[in-house]
Amino acid sequence: MAEPTGTGATERVADVLLLFTYGPPTLGVTRVSRELDLSKAVVHRILRSLTSRDLIAYDPDTREYRLGPAAAALGSRALRDSDLRATALPFLSELRDRLHETVTISAKVHGGRVYLDQVVGNHEITMSVELGRRFPLHAGSSGKCMLAHSDPDEVDRLLAGELQALTPATPTDPEALRAELTEIRARGYAASAGERQGDAGSVAVPVFGPGGLVGAVSVCGPRFRVTEEFVADTAPELIETADRITAQLGGTAPARAVHTSTGRTT
């Protein structure tokens, strides 16, 4: 196994750090080595360097590593300074007050997406999401609507790899998912029922900045309330909200088949 040098070494360090943003909260050298196809010696050196800067913390009892306080500080600063989060938050609150379900804003990141913020619904039984954790793009409405508007080469790479089943409802057939992505682009929104969490349903619309796709806004709730009728009624309002966020960011929303004021297809 070749030793990384130069830019490759920097990428390996970033890959190790990013590995802690999904999956189990603690990882050992062997798991990191296997996940990233790096030698244990290389992984150990990287982890030791990250630990020295408090980006990673080591537990001598379990001999495993977890994200450290410096990583938490970086994440908090990133959230605080996020233009997407700051721009979206008033619109999320407004939409939650109309729909009474949890409304979220996600950002697209390398290898997936993360929730930046949420305004929790005001029902007695409601949903909440985990902020800052990386989730795959093929599971759930927020990920799928981002994937539908991603670079075709990125879509091909993702569909050529393993589509992990997070629940029994997670899409794992690449050709079926490719067809669904085409439908999502045409109608302007994605919906899911139990794909990322078995008891949750959601509908999501992508958000765009000056450089293109930046994230997605979604409405989510318990699966028994997020019915097909709820999705059909909610999608036009969600599209309108996403378009307003896109306009504030200086982006351009794509053409779609749903009329945002009536919900009728054209």
Side-chain angles (χ1 to χ4, degrees), residues 84 105-109 112-113 137 141-151 154-155 184-185 188 204-217 242 246 249 251-254 256:
L84 175 58
I105 184 71
S106 296
K108 190 170 184 288
V109 298
R113 54 104 181 176
L137 293 178
S141 63
S142 290
K144 289 189 301 183
C145 76
M146 291 189 214
L147 187 60
H149 292 275
S150 295
D151 183 85
E154 181 182 359
V155 175
I184 290 168
R185 284 192 296 273
V205 177
V207 173
F208 300 85
L213 176 71
V214 292
V217 59
T246 291
L249 292 171
T252 302
R256 54 176 72 93

PDB file of all heavy atoms in Angstrom, residues 84 105-109 112-113 137 141-151 154-155 184-185 188 204-217 242 246 249 251-254 256:
ATOM      1  N   LEU A  84     -26.207  29.806   4.201  1.00  0.00           N
ATOM      2  CA  LEU A  84     -27.393  29.010   3.901  1.00  0.00           C
ATOM      3  C   LEU A  84     -28.280  28.894   5.134  1.00  0.00           C
ATOM      4  O   LEU A  84     -29.500  29.117   5.056  1.00  0.00           O
ATOM      5  CB  LEU A  84     -26.977  27.615   3.408  1.00  0.00           C
ATOM      6  CG  LEU A  84     -28.109  26.612   3.166  1.00  0.00           C
ATOM      7  CD1 LEU A  84     -29.102  27.144   2.142  1.00  0.00           C
ATOM      8  CD2 LEU A  84     -27.522  25.271   2.708  1.00  0.00           C
ATOM      9  N   ILE A 105     -33.147  22.487   7.215  1.00  0.00           N
ATOM     10  CA  ILE A 105     -32.285  22.922   6.122  1.00  0.00           C
ATOM     11  C   ILE A 105     -31.025  22.066   6.153  1.00  0.00           C
ATOM     12  O   ILE A 105     -30.412  21.884   7.206  1.00  0.00           O
ATOM     13  CB  ILE A 105     -31.943  24.434   6.214  1.00  0.00           C
ATOM     14  CG1 ILE A 105     -31.125  24.886   4.990  1.00  0.00           C
ATOM     15  CG2 ILE A 105     -31.230  24.773   7.504  1.00  0.00           C
ATOM     16  CD1 ILE A 105     -31.940  24.941   3.711  1.00  0.00           C
ATOM     17  N   SER A 106     -30.677  21.485   5.011  1.00  0.00           N
ATOM     18  CA  SER A 106     -29.487  20.647   4.875  1.00  0.00           C
ATOM     19  C   SER A 106     -28.523  21.265   3.885  1.00  0.00           C
ATOM     20  O   SER A 106     -28.938  21.993   2.975  1.00  0.00           O
ATOM     21  CB  SER A 106     -29.857  19.245   4.369  1.00  0.00           C
ATOM     22  OG  SER A 106     -30.663  18.552   5.271  1.00  0.00           O
ATOM     23  N   ALA A 107     -27.246  20.943   4.047  1.00  0.00           N
ATOM     24  CA  ALA A 107     -26.224  21.374   3.096  1.00  0.00           C
ATOM     25  C   ALA A 107     -25.589  20.142   2.459  1.00  0.00           C
ATOM     26  O   ALA A 107     -25.415  19.111   3.113  1.00  0.00           O
ATOM     27  CB  ALA A 107     -25.146  22.204   3.791  1.00  0.00           C
ATOM     28  N   LYS A 108     -25.250  20.241   1.206  1.00  0.00           N
ATOM     29  CA  LYS A 108     -24.534  19.170   0.519  1.00  0.00           C
ATOM     30  C   LYS A 108     -23.056  19.261   0.884  1.00  0.00           C
ATOM     31  O   LYS A 108     -22.461  20.346   0.851  1.00  0.00           O
ATOM     32  CB  LYS A 108     -24.709  19.292  -0.992  1.00  0.00           C
ATOM     33  CG  LYS A 108     -24.204  18.084  -1.783  1.00  0.00           C
ATOM     34  CD  LYS A 108     -24.651  18.199  -3.233  1.00  0.00           C
ATOM     35  CE  LYS A 108     -24.257  16.956  -4.020  1.00  0.00           C
ATOM     36  NZ  LYS A 108     -22.796  16.901  -4.268  1.00  0.00           N
ATOM     37  N   VAL A 109     -22.469  18.144   1.272  1.00  0.00           N
ATOM     38  CA  VAL A 109     -21.052  18.080   1.616  1.00  0.00           C
ATOM     39  C   VAL A 109     -20.423  16.911   0.873  1.00  0.00           C
ATOM     40  O   VAL A 109     -21.124  16.094   0.269  1.00  0.00           O
ATOM     41  CB  VAL A 109     -20.835  17.915   3.143  1.00  0.00           C
ATOM     42  CG1 VAL A 109     -21.398  19.111   3.899  1.00  0.00           C
ATOM     43  CG2 VAL A 109     -21.466  16.615   3.646  1.00  0.00           C
ATOM     44  N   GLY A 112     -22.015  13.243   0.911  1.00  0.00           N
ATOM     45  CA  GLY A 112     -23.353  13.185   1.493  1.00  0.00           C
ATOM     46  C   GLY A 112     -23.922  14.557   1.768  1.00  0.00           C
ATOM     47  O   GLY A 112     -23.707  15.507   1.021  1.00  0.00           O
ATOM     48  N   ARG A 113     -24.632  14.646   2.900  1.00  0.00           N
ATOM     49  CA  ARG A 113     -25.232  15.923   3.289  1.00  0.00           C
ATOM     50  C   ARG A 113     -25.387  15.943   4.808  1.00  0.00           C
ATOM     51  O   ARG A 113     -25.377  14.900   5.471  1.00  0.00           O
ATOM     52  CB  ARG A 113     -26.577  16.138   2.603  1.00  0.00           C
ATOM     53  CG  ARG A 113     -27.585  15.002   2.792  1.00  0.00           C
ATOM     54  CD  ARG A 113     -28.652  15.341   3.773  1.00  0.00           C
ATOM     55  NE  ARG A 113     -29.608  14.273   3.993  1.00  0.00           N
ATOM     56  CZ  ARG A 113     -30.595  14.335   4.877  1.00  0.00           C
ATOM     57  NH1 ARG A 113     -30.758  15.437   5.605  1.00  0.00           N
ATOM     58  NH2 ARG A 113     -31.410  13.327   5.053  1.00  0.00           N
ATOM     59  N   LEU A 137     -26.676  10.372   0.320  1.00  0.00           N
ATOM     60  CA  LEU A 137     -27.612  11.087  -0.543  1.00  0.00           C
ATOM     61  C   LEU A 137     -28.736  10.209  -1.084  1.00  0.00           C
ATOM     62  O   LEU A 137     -29.754  10.729  -1.529  1.00  0.00           O
ATOM     63  CB  LEU A 137     -26.863  11.717  -1.724  1.00  0.00           C
ATOM     64  CG  LEU A 137     -25.879  12.847  -1.392  1.00  0.00           C
ATOM     65  CD1 LEU A 137     -25.188  13.319  -2.666  1.00  0.00           C
ATOM     66  CD2 LEU A 137     -26.579  14.007  -0.710  1.00  0.00           C
ATOM     67  N   SER A 141     -35.637  12.125   1.546  1.00  0.00           N
ATOM     68  CA  SER A 141     -36.009  13.110   0.534  1.00  0.00           C
ATOM     69  C   SER A 141     -34.962  14.207   0.348  1.00  0.00           C
ATOM     70  O   SER A 141     -34.700  14.638  -0.777  1.00  0.00           O
ATOM     71  CB  SER A 141     -37.366  13.729   0.874  1.00  0.00           C
ATOM     72  OG  SER A 141     -37.320  14.438   2.102  1.00  0.00           O
ATOM     73  N   SER A 142     -34.349  14.678   1.447  1.00  0.00           N
ATOM     74  CA  SER A 142     -33.358  15.752   1.310  1.00  0.00           C
ATOM     75  C   SER A 142     -32.177  15.293   0.466  1.00  0.00           C
ATOM     76  O   SER A 142     -31.711  16.014  -0.429  1.00  0.00           O
ATOM     77  CB  SER A 142     -32.868  16.203   2.693  1.00  0.00           C
ATOM     78  OG  SER A 142     -33.875  16.883   3.395  1.00  0.00           O
ATOM     79  N   GLY A 143     -31.686  14.090   0.739  1.00  0.00           N
ATOM     80  CA  GLY A 143     -30.565  13.567  -0.035  1.00  0.00           C
ATOM     81  C   GLY A 143     -30.924  13.325  -1.485  1.00  0.00           C
ATOM     82  O   GLY A 143     -30.160  13.675  -2.402  1.00  0.00           O
ATOM     83  N   LYS A 144     -32.085  12.738  -1.713  1.00  0.00           N
ATOM     84  CA  LYS A 144     -32.463  12.402  -3.092  1.00  0.00           C
ATOM     85  C   LYS A 144     -32.677  13.646  -3.950  1.00  0.00           C
ATOM     86  O   LYS A 144     -32.326  13.643  -5.135  1.00  0.00           O
ATOM     87  CB  LYS A 144     -33.717  11.532  -3.093  1.00  0.00           C
ATOM     88  CG  LYS A 144     -33.496  10.117  -2.597  1.00  0.00           C
ATOM     89  CD  LYS A 144     -34.715   9.220  -2.827  1.00  0.00           C
ATOM     90  CE  LYS A 144     -35.955   9.732  -2.135  1.00  0.00           C
ATOM     91  NZ  LYS A 144     -37.106   8.820  -2.293  1.00  0.00           N
ATOM     92  N   CYS A 145     -33.263  14.705  -3.366  1.00  0.00           N
ATOM     93  CA  CYS A 145     -33.480  15.894  -4.200  1.00  0.00           C
ATOM     94  C   CYS A 145     -32.151  16.572  -4.523  1.00  0.00           C
ATOM     95  O   CYS A 145     -31.999  17.164  -5.591  1.00  0.00           O
ATOM     96  CB  CYS A 145     -34.483  16.850  -3.561  1.00  0.00           C
ATOM     97  SG  CYS A 145     -33.884  17.828  -2.189  1.00  0.00           S
ATOM     98  N   MET A 146     -31.164  16.468  -3.606  1.00  0.00           N
ATOM     99  CA  MET A 146     -29.831  16.984  -3.921  1.00  0.00           C
ATOM    100  C   MET A 146     -29.159  16.120  -4.987  1.00  0.00           C
ATOM    101  O   MET A 146     -28.541  16.633  -5.930  1.00  0.00           O
ATOM    102  CB  MET A 146     -28.964  17.004  -2.667  1.00  0.00           C
ATOM    103  CG  MET A 146     -29.364  18.019  -1.635  1.00  0.00           C
ATOM    104  SD  MET A 146     -28.106  18.103  -0.341  1.00  0.00           S
ATOM    105  CE  MET A 146     -29.132  18.445   1.084  1.00  0.00           C
ATOM    106  N   LEU A 147     -29.280  14.801  -4.828  1.00  0.00           N
ATOM    107  CA  LEU A 147     -28.662  13.890  -5.793  1.00  0.00           C
ATOM    108  C   LEU A 147     -29.246  14.098  -7.179  1.00  0.00           C
ATOM    109  O   LEU A 147     -28.523  14.040  -8.183  1.00  0.00           O
ATOM    110  CB  LEU A 147     -28.871  12.450  -5.334  1.00  0.00           C
ATOM    111  CG  LEU A 147     -28.156  11.361  -6.127  1.00  0.00           C
ATOM    112  CD1 LEU A 147     -26.646  11.564  -6.086  1.00  0.00           C
ATOM    113  CD2 LEU A 147     -28.520   9.977  -5.578  1.00  0.00           C
ATOM    114  N   ALA A 148     -30.544  14.365  -7.253  1.00  0.00           N
ATOM    115  CA  ALA A 148     -31.199  14.572  -8.549  1.00  0.00           C
ATOM    116  C   ALA A 148     -30.627  15.761  -9.301  1.00  0.00           C
ATOM    117  O   ALA A 148     -30.689  15.815 -10.530  1.00  0.00           O
ATOM    118  CB  ALA A 148     -32.700  14.753  -8.350  1.00  0.00           C
ATOM    119  N   HIS A 149     -30.070  16.731  -8.565  1.00  0.00           N
ATOM    120  CA  HIS A 149     -29.522  17.943  -9.197  1.00  0.00           C
ATOM    121  C   HIS A 149     -28.004  18.001  -9.100  1.00  0.00           C
ATOM    122  O   HIS A 149     -27.421  19.067  -9.307  1.00  0.00           O
ATOM    123  CB  HIS A 149     -30.151  19.180  -8.557  1.00  0.00           C
ATOM    124  CG  HIS A 149     -31.611  19.326  -8.874  1.00  0.00           C
ATOM    125  ND1 HIS A 149     -32.064  19.940 -10.014  1.00  0.00           N
ATOM    126  CD2 HIS A 149     -32.716  18.908  -8.209  1.00  0.00           C
ATOM    127  CE1 HIS A 149     -33.392  19.907 -10.040  1.00  0.00           C
ATOM    128  NE2 HIS A 149     -33.814  19.289  -8.956  1.00  0.00           N
ATOM    129  N   SER A 150     -27.379  16.875  -8.790  1.00  0.00           N
ATOM    130  CA  SER A 150     -25.916  16.809  -8.715  1.00  0.00           C
ATOM    131  C   SER A 150     -25.319  16.569 -10.093  1.00  0.00           C
ATOM    132  O   SER A 150     -26.018  16.212 -11.052  1.00  0.00           O
ATOM    133  CB  SER A 150     -25.484  15.693  -7.755  1.00  0.00           C
ATOM    134  OG  SER A 150     -25.886  15.978  -6.440  1.00  0.00           O
ATOM    135  N   ASP A 151     -24.010  16.726 -10.184  1.00  0.00           N
ATOM    136  CA  ASP A 151     -23.293  16.482 -11.430  1.00  0.00           C
ATOM    137  C   ASP A 151     -23.529  15.046 -11.892  1.00  0.00           C
ATOM    138  O   ASP A 151     -23.457  14.121 -11.071  1.00  0.00           O
ATOM    139  CB  ASP A 151     -21.802  16.733 -11.215  1.00  0.00           C
ATOM    140  CG  ASP A 151     -20.999  16.570 -12.480  1.00  0.00           C
ATOM    141  OD1 ASP A 151     -20.900  17.522 -13.249  1.00  0.00           O
ATOM    142  OD2 ASP A 151     -20.481  15.446 -12.689  1.00  0.00           O
ATOM    143  N   GLU A 154     -21.048  12.499 -10.693  1.00  0.00           N
ATOM    144  CA  GLU A 154     -21.196  12.156  -9.278  1.00  0.00           C
ATOM    145  C   GLU A 154     -22.317  11.145  -9.091  1.00  0.00           C
ATOM    146  O   GLU A 154     -22.196  10.196  -8.313  1.00  0.00           O
ATOM    147  CB  GLU A 154     -21.466  13.408  -8.454  1.00  0.00           C
ATOM    148  CG  GLU A 154     -21.614  13.136  -6.958  1.00  0.00           C
ATOM    149  CD  GLU A 154     -21.921  14.380  -6.156  1.00  0.00           C
ATOM    150  OE1 GLU A 154     -21.995  15.472  -6.749  1.00  0.00           O
ATOM    151  OE2 GLU A 154     -22.103  14.255  -4.922  1.00  0.00           O
ATOM    152  N   VAL A 155     -23.415  11.342  -9.799  1.00  0.00           N
ATOM    153  CA  VAL A 155     -24.538  10.409  -9.715  1.00  0.00           C
ATOM    154  C   VAL A 155     -24.104   9.026 -10.196  1.00  0.00           C
ATOM    155  O   VAL A 155     -24.395   8.002  -9.558  1.00  0.00           O
ATOM    156  CB  VAL A 155     -25.730  10.914 -10.546  1.00  0.00           C
ATOM    157  CG1 VAL A 155     -26.855   9.876 -10.562  1.00  0.00           C
ATOM    158  CG2 VAL A 155     -26.238  12.237  -9.996  1.00  0.00           C
ATOM    159  N   ILE A 184     -37.891  13.281  -9.879  1.00  0.00           N
ATOM    160  CA  ILE A 184     -37.683  14.357  -8.909  1.00  0.00           C
ATOM    161  C   ILE A 184     -37.317  15.655  -9.627  1.00  0.00           C
ATOM    162  O   ILE A 184     -37.835  16.729  -9.301  1.00  0.00           O
ATOM    163  CB  ILE A 184     -36.601  13.961  -7.892  1.00  0.00           C
ATOM    164  CG1 ILE A 184     -37.115  12.846  -6.968  1.00  0.00           C
ATOM    165  CG2 ILE A 184     -36.152  15.172  -7.068  1.00  0.00           C
ATOM    166  CD1 ILE A 184     -36.030  12.199  -6.124  1.00  0.00           C
ATOM    167  N   ARG A 185     -36.431  15.568 -10.615  1.00  0.00           N
ATOM    168  CA  ARG A 185     -36.044  16.772 -11.359  1.00  0.00           C
ATOM    169  C   ARG A 185     -37.254  17.371 -12.080  1.00  0.00           C
ATOM    170  O   ARG A 185     -37.411  18.589 -12.137  1.00  0.00           O
ATOM    171  CB  ARG A 185     -34.941  16.440 -12.367  1.00  0.00           C
ATOM    172  CG  ARG A 185     -33.578  16.270 -11.758  1.00  0.00           C
ATOM    173  CD  ARG A 185     -32.489  16.244 -12.825  1.00  0.00           C
ATOM    174  NE  ARG A 185     -32.645  15.093 -13.708  1.00  0.00           N
ATOM    175  CZ  ARG A 185     -32.133  13.880 -13.467  1.00  0.00           C
ATOM    176  NH1 ARG A 185     -31.448  13.667 -12.349  1.00  0.00           N
ATOM    177  NH2 ARG A 185     -32.302  12.900 -14.329  1.00  0.00           N
ATOM    178  N   GLY A 188     -39.861  18.667  -9.200  1.00  0.00           N
ATOM    179  CA  GLY A 188     -39.286  19.694  -8.333  1.00  0.00           C
ATOM    180  C   GLY A 188     -39.142  19.327  -6.879  1.00  0.00           C
ATOM    181  O   GLY A 188     -38.615  20.114  -6.098  1.00  0.00           O
ATOM    182  N   ALA A 204     -38.931  17.105   0.352  1.00  0.00           N
ATOM    183  CA  ALA A 204     -37.827  18.071   0.299  1.00  0.00           C
ATOM    184  C   ALA A 204     -37.680  18.677  -1.088  1.00  0.00           C
ATOM    185  O   ALA A 204     -38.047  18.066  -2.095  1.00  0.00           O
ATOM    186  CB  ALA A 204     -36.511  17.399   0.710  1.00  0.00           C
ATOM    187  N   VAL A 205     -37.118  19.890  -1.115  1.00  0.00           N
ATOM    188  CA  VAL A 205     -36.892  20.641  -2.348  1.00  0.00           C
ATOM    189  C   VAL A 205     -35.472  21.199  -2.311  1.00  0.00           C
ATOM    190  O   VAL A 205     -35.028  21.697  -1.264  1.00  0.00           O
ATOM    191  CB  VAL A 205     -37.914  21.797  -2.489  1.00  0.00           C
ATOM    192  CG1 VAL A 205     -37.626  22.631  -3.734  1.00  0.00           C
ATOM    193  CG2 VAL A 205     -39.336  21.235  -2.551  1.00  0.00           C
ATOM    194  N   PRO A 206     -34.730  21.143  -3.421  1.00  0.00           N
ATOM    195  CA  PRO A 206     -33.357  21.655  -3.421  1.00  0.00           C
ATOM    196  C   PRO A 206     -33.300  23.176  -3.362  1.00  0.00           C
ATOM    197  O   PRO A 206     -34.239  23.872  -3.760  1.00  0.00           O
ATOM    198  CB  PRO A 206     -32.787  21.138  -4.744  1.00  0.00           C
ATOM    199  CG  PRO A 206     -33.984  20.984  -5.627  1.00  0.00           C
ATOM    200  CD  PRO A 206     -35.101  20.558  -4.718  1.00  0.00           C
ATOM    201  N   VAL A 207     -32.174  23.674  -2.862  1.00  0.00           N
ATOM    202  CA  VAL A 207     -31.894  25.108  -2.769  1.00  0.00           C
ATOM    203  C   VAL A 207     -30.612  25.382  -3.543  1.00  0.00           C
ATOM    204  O   VAL A 207     -29.654  24.594  -3.479  1.00  0.00           O
ATOM    205  CB  VAL A 207     -31.749  25.547  -1.295  1.00  0.00           C
ATOM    206  CG1 VAL A 207     -31.300  26.994  -1.205  1.00  0.00           C
ATOM    207  CG2 VAL A 207     -33.064  25.343  -0.546  1.00  0.00           C
ATOM    208  N   PHE A 208     -30.583  26.509  -4.241  1.00  0.00           N
ATOM    209  CA  PHE A 208     -29.455  26.830  -5.116  1.00  0.00           C
ATOM    210  C   PHE A 208     -28.846  28.183  -4.759  1.00  0.00           C
ATOM    211  O   PHE A 208     -29.547  29.115  -4.373  1.00  0.00           O
ATOM    212  CB  PHE A 208     -29.907  26.838  -6.579  1.00  0.00           C
ATOM    213  CG  PHE A 208     -30.457  25.523  -7.052  1.00  0.00           C
ATOM    214  CD1 PHE A 208     -31.796  25.215  -6.834  1.00  0.00           C
ATOM    215  CD2 PHE A 208     -29.642  24.601  -7.672  1.00  0.00           C
ATOM    216  CE1 PHE A 208     -32.316  23.992  -7.247  1.00  0.00           C
ATOM    217  CE2 PHE A 208     -30.153  23.374  -8.086  1.00  0.00           C
ATOM    218  CZ  PHE A 208     -31.482  23.065  -7.873  1.00  0.00           C
ATOM    219  N   GLY A 209     -27.527  28.269  -4.890  1.00  0.00           N
ATOM    220  CA  GLY A 209     -26.803  29.515  -4.736  1.00  0.00           C
ATOM    221  C   GLY A 209     -26.252  29.955  -6.079  1.00  0.00           C
ATOM    222  O   GLY A 209     -26.560  29.348  -7.111  1.00  0.00           O
ATOM    223  N   PRO A 210     -25.416  30.988  -6.097  1.00  0.00           N
ATOM    224  CA  PRO A 210     -24.873  31.483  -7.370  1.00  0.00           C
ATOM    225  C   PRO A 210     -24.097  30.417  -8.145  1.00  0.00           C
ATOM    226  O   PRO A 210     -24.069  30.442  -9.376  1.00  0.00           O
ATOM    227  CB  PRO A 210     -23.944  32.626  -6.932  1.00  0.00           C
ATOM    228  CG  PRO A 210     -24.487  33.061  -5.611  1.00  0.00           C
ATOM    229  CD  PRO A 210     -25.012  31.826  -4.948  1.00  0.00           C
ATOM    230  N   GLY A 211     -23.480  29.479  -7.418  1.00  0.00           N
ATOM    231  CA  GLY A 211     -22.701  28.441  -8.083  1.00  0.00           C
ATOM    232  C   GLY A 211     -23.457  27.157  -8.344  1.00  0.00           C
ATOM    233  O   GLY A 211     -22.879  26.186  -8.825  1.00  0.00           O
ATOM    234  N   GLY A 212     -24.755  27.130  -8.025  1.00  0.00           N
ATOM    235  CA  GLY A 212     -25.528  25.914  -8.242  1.00  0.00           C
ATOM    236  C   GLY A 212     -26.093  25.352  -6.949  1.00  0.00           C
ATOM    237  O   GLY A 212     -26.338  26.085  -5.978  1.00  0.00           O
ATOM    238  N   LEU A 213     -26.279  24.054  -6.908  1.00  0.00           N
ATOM    239  CA  LEU A 213     -26.889  23.374  -5.773  1.00  0.00           C
ATOM    240  C   LEU A 213     -26.097  23.603  -4.485  1.00  0.00           C
ATOM    241  O   LEU A 213     -24.874  23.444  -4.462  1.00  0.00           O
ATOM    242  CB  LEU A 213     -26.956  21.872  -6.062  1.00  0.00           C
ATOM    243  CG  LEU A 213     -27.475  20.972  -4.941  1.00  0.00           C
ATOM    244  CD1 LEU A 213     -28.970  21.167  -4.747  1.00  0.00           C
ATOM    245  CD2 LEU A 213     -27.154  19.514  -5.244  1.00  0.00           C
ATOM    246  N   VAL A 214     -26.790  23.962  -3.400  1.00  0.00           N
ATOM    247  CA  VAL A 214     -26.128  24.134  -2.107  1.00  0.00           C
ATOM    248  C   VAL A 214     -26.762  23.300  -1.005  1.00  0.00           C
ATOM    249  O   VAL A 214     -26.128  22.986  -0.006  1.00  0.00           O
ATOM    250  CB  VAL A 214     -26.101  25.612  -1.653  1.00  0.00           C
ATOM    251  CG1 VAL A 214     -25.204  26.433  -2.558  1.00  0.00           C
ATOM    252  CG2 VAL A 214     -27.511  26.198  -1.593  1.00  0.00           C
ATOM    253  N   GLY A 215     -28.040  22.930  -1.159  1.00  0.00           N
ATOM    254  CA  GLY A 215     -28.669  22.178  -0.076  1.00  0.00           C
ATOM    255  C   GLY A 215     -30.121  21.872  -0.375  1.00  0.00           C
ATOM    256  O   GLY A 215     -30.543  21.824  -1.533  1.00  0.00           O
ATOM    257  N   ALA A 216     -30.889  21.665   0.699  1.00  0.00           N
ATOM    258  CA  ALA A 216     -32.305  21.333   0.547  1.00  0.00           C
ATOM    259  C   ALA A 216     -33.065  21.738   1.789  1.00  0.00           C
ATOM    260  O   ALA A 216     -32.542  21.705   2.901  1.00  0.00           O
ATOM    261  CB  ALA A 216     -32.477  19.832   0.301  1.00  0.00           C
ATOM    262  N   VAL A 217     -34.317  22.111   1.581  1.00  0.00           N
ATOM    263  CA  VAL A 217     -35.231  22.387   2.686  1.00  0.00           C
ATOM    264  C   VAL A 217     -36.258  21.268   2.699  1.00  0.00           C
ATOM    265  O   VAL A 217     -36.710  20.808   1.651  1.00  0.00           O
ATOM    266  CB  VAL A 217     -35.893  23.776   2.541  1.00  0.00           C
ATOM    267  CG1 VAL A 217     -36.671  23.883   1.249  1.00  0.00           C
ATOM    268  CG2 VAL A 217     -36.787  24.080   3.734  1.00  0.00           C
ATOM    269  N   ALA A 242     -38.454  27.119  -0.839  1.00  0.00           N
ATOM    270  CA  ALA A 242     -37.105  26.862  -1.350  1.00  0.00           C
ATOM    271  C   ALA A 242     -36.709  27.902  -2.390  1.00  0.00           C
ATOM    272  O   ALA A 242     -35.556  28.366  -2.427  1.00  0.00           O
ATOM    273  CB  ALA A 242     -37.026  25.456  -1.939  1.00  0.00           C
ATOM    274  N   THR A 246     -33.577  30.402  -2.327  1.00  0.00           N
ATOM    275  CA  THR A 246     -32.672  30.455  -3.479  1.00  0.00           C
ATOM    276  C   THR A 246     -32.502  31.897  -3.974  1.00  0.00           C
ATOM    277  O   THR A 246     -31.379  32.339  -4.259  1.00  0.00           O
ATOM    278  CB  THR A 246     -33.213  29.561  -4.612  1.00  0.00           C
ATOM    279  OG1 THR A 246     -33.103  28.183  -4.223  1.00  0.00           O
ATOM    280  CG2 THR A 246     -32.442  29.775  -5.906  1.00  0.00           C
ATOM    281  N   LEU A 249     -30.293  33.895  -1.763  1.00  0.00           N
ATOM    282  CA  LEU A 249     -28.884  33.509  -1.901  1.00  0.00           C
ATOM    283  C   LEU A 249     -28.287  33.952  -3.235  1.00  0.00           C
ATOM    284  O   LEU A 249     -27.071  33.866  -3.428  1.00  0.00           O
ATOM    285  CB  LEU A 249     -28.738  31.987  -1.774  1.00  0.00           C
ATOM    286  CG  LEU A 249     -29.019  31.393  -0.391  1.00  0.00           C
ATOM    287  CD1 LEU A 249     -29.056  29.870  -0.478  1.00  0.00           C
ATOM    288  CD2 LEU A 249     -27.963  31.833   0.622  1.00  0.00           C
ATOM    289  N   GLY A 251     -29.257  32.598  -6.169  1.00  0.00           N
ATOM    290  CA  GLY A 251     -29.248  31.457  -7.067  1.00  0.00           C
ATOM    291  C   GLY A 251     -30.432  31.483  -8.022  1.00  0.00           C
ATOM    292  O   GLY A 251     -31.244  32.406  -8.014  1.00  0.00           O
ATOM    293  N   THR A 252     -30.527  30.443  -8.854  1.00  0.00           N
ATOM    294  CA  THR A 252     -31.609  30.319  -9.822  1.00  0.00           C
ATOM    295  C   THR A 252     -32.241  28.946  -9.684  1.00  0.00           C
ATOM    296  O   THR A 252     -31.554  27.927  -9.792  1.00  0.00           O
ATOM    297  CB  THR A 252     -31.096  30.492 -11.261  1.00  0.00           C
ATOM    298  OG1 THR A 252     -30.469  31.778 -11.382  1.00  0.00           O
ATOM    299  CG2 THR A 252     -32.235  30.386 -12.266  1.00  0.00           C
ATOM    300  N   ALA A 253     -33.554  28.911  -9.459  1.00  0.00           N
ATOM    301  CA  ALA A 253     -34.264  27.644  -9.346  1.00  0.00           C
ATOM    302  C   ALA A 253     -34.475  27.053 -10.733  1.00  0.00           C
ATOM    303  O   ALA A 253     -34.698  27.782 -11.705  1.00  0.00           O
ATOM    304  CB  ALA A 253     -35.612  27.848  -8.658  1.00  0.00           C
ATOM    305  N   PRO A 254     -34.433  25.728 -10.860  1.00  0.00           N
ATOM    306  CA  PRO A 254     -34.635  25.107 -12.167  1.00  0.00           C
ATOM    307  C   PRO A 254     -36.102  25.077 -12.565  1.00  0.00           C
ATOM    308  O   PRO A 254     -36.993  25.252 -11.732  1.00  0.00           O
ATOM    309  CB  PRO A 254     -34.116  23.677 -11.934  1.00  0.00           C
ATOM    310  CG  PRO A 254     -34.422  23.420 -10.490  1.00  0.00           C
ATOM    311  CD  PRO A 254     -34.191  24.743  -9.794  1.00  0.00           C
ATOM    312  N   ARG A 256     -39.545  23.340 -13.456  1.00  0.00           N
ATOM    313  CA  ARG A 256     -40.159  22.123 -12.914  1.00  0.00           C
ATOM    314  C   ARG A 256     -41.605  22.044 -13.373  1.00  0.00           C
ATOM    315  O   ARG A 256     -42.171  23.012 -13.883  1.00  0.00           O
ATOM    316  CB  ARG A 256     -40.082  22.115 -11.389  1.00  0.00           C
ATOM    317  CG  ARG A 256     -40.666  23.361 -10.745  1.00  0.00           C
ATOM    318  CD  ARG A 256     -40.659  23.256  -9.234  1.00  0.00           C
ATOM    319  NE  ARG A 256     -39.338  23.364  -8.665  1.00  0.00           N
ATOM    320  CZ  ARG A 256     -38.807  24.506  -8.235  1.00  0.00           C
ATOM    321  NH1 ARG A 256     -39.468  25.624  -8.363  1.00  0.00           N
ATOM    322  NH2 ARG A 256     -37.606  24.513  -7.697  1.00  0.00           N
TER     323      ARG A 256
END
